[in-house]
Amino acid sequence: MTSRPASPSSLRSVPWYMALGQRIATLWVVKMIGTALGITGFFFLYFWVMHNPPSEPTVMPLTPLDHWVGVSDDAMLLYGSLWFYISLPSALARDKAELWACARDAAIMAAVGLVVFWFFPTTVPVFPVDWANYPALQFLKATDVGGNAFPSLHVAFAVLTTVMLGRQLRSVKAPDWTHAVSVLWSLGIVYSTLATRQHVLIDVLGGMLLAGVVSWAGTARSGLVWREA
């Protein structure tokens, strides 16, 4: 009996982890430089707007949840991990079109946030906390003074990253646990914005709304880019 030749699609199929590895190796220099420049440029604009508000910032109100979530020095690790987490969608972009879609959506969201910060300056309340008891948070409080509060771009970037990663993981048929890790990581970052007292609940909800709108608009514009691989 003559064996049946393998179909072209089966010959092209690779395990999900190898597919992700191939994606990381694609345009890796462009991705690395572009991500570094993008984050650096964002920080420059973010801190300039924070330190040059056109009017007195509005103090964001607290909710019962803000009182319930305790201050945590350990949350600083989760808070800082955002900057690695948000680099993953670009690193896993399959080609130039997908890389551009990632950069475009992140830039649009950052631009909207910065415009809101400029025209509606906000800040978190002065919390009755002795930051000397939280050494990991002291540096954060010295550099990021709690301005640019609403919407929380920290939360917005975490949520947008989760959506982008979800699309990419589905495209390579990654197992469910990879999606769970991504979602839990994102939720940890959201929690950290409250536990570090960098944001209050209203800021968090604003960041989620902003990310949801940008994600929806990005999907509508780039349906073909995010097609199944």
Side-chain angles (χ1 to χ4, degrees):
M1 180 181 296
T2 304
S3 61
R4 187 175 181 179
S7 65
S9 60
S10 65
L11 290 174
R12 289 196 301 269
S13 63
V14 295
W16 65 272
Y17 50 88
M18 291 184 64
L20 292 181
Q22 291 170 356
R23 283 168 167 253
I24 292 174
T26 301
L27 301 171
W28 69 272
V29 175
V30 175
K31 294 172 178 177
M32 180 178 63
I33 296 175
T35 299
L37 290 177
I39 292 176
T40 300
F42 167 76
F43 271 130
F44 175 81
L45 294 173
Y46 177 88
F47 284 113
W48 188 90
V49 170
M50 177 185 292
H51 293 293
N52 297 276
S55 59
E56 189 68 21
T58 298
V59 178
M60 298 303 293
L62 297 174
T63 67
L65 182 65
D66 295 305
H67 294 288
W68 181 77
V69 176
V71 181
S72 171
D73 214 35
D74 296 333
M76 181 60 190
L77 181 61
L78 279 170
Y79 190 82
S81 73
L82 172 75
W83 304 109
F84 177 76
Y85 185 57
I86 64 173
S87 69
L88 295 179
S90 295
L92 295 175
R94 181 178 61 247
D95 49 32
K96 289 183 179 178
E98 189 173 308
L99 181 60
W100 166 246
C102 292
R104 179 202 59 205
D105 288 354
I108 289 173
M109 193 170 68
V112 171
L114 290 170
V115 167
V116 174
F117 296 156
W118 178 254
F119 287 102
F120 180 51
T122 51
T123 186
V124 296
V126 177
F127 294 98
V129 176
D130 183 359
W131 296 112
N133 295 325
Y134 302 93
L137 298 181
Q138 267 194 308
F139 174 76
L140 178 63
K141 295 302 176 181
T143 55
D144 192 344
V145 294
N148 293 350
F150 178 90
S152 169
L153 283 184
H154 221 80
V155 169
F157 277 121
V159 173
L160 180 66
T161 297
T162 304
V163 174
M164 290 178 174
L165 280 178
R167 294 166 178 161
Q168 293 171 323
L169 292 173
R170 285 193 298 273
S171 74
V172 297
K173 297 178 174 56
D176 291 343
W177 67 263
T178 61
H179 297 269
V181 168
S182 177
V183 171
L184 288 174
W185 192 347
S186 181
L187 289 175
I189 292 171
V190 172
Y191 156 77
S192 75
T193 65
L194 299 175
T196 58
R197 295 298 188 264
Q198 286 298 103
H199 291 284
V200 299
L201 178 60
I202 296 176
D203 305 333
V204 168
L205 296 177
M208 288 179 171
L209 177 62
L210 175 58
V213 171
V214 172
S215 297
W216 174 83
T219 300
R221 287 192 303 267
S222 305
L224 293 178
V225 172
W226 296 104
R227 67 189 181 277
E228 295 294 316

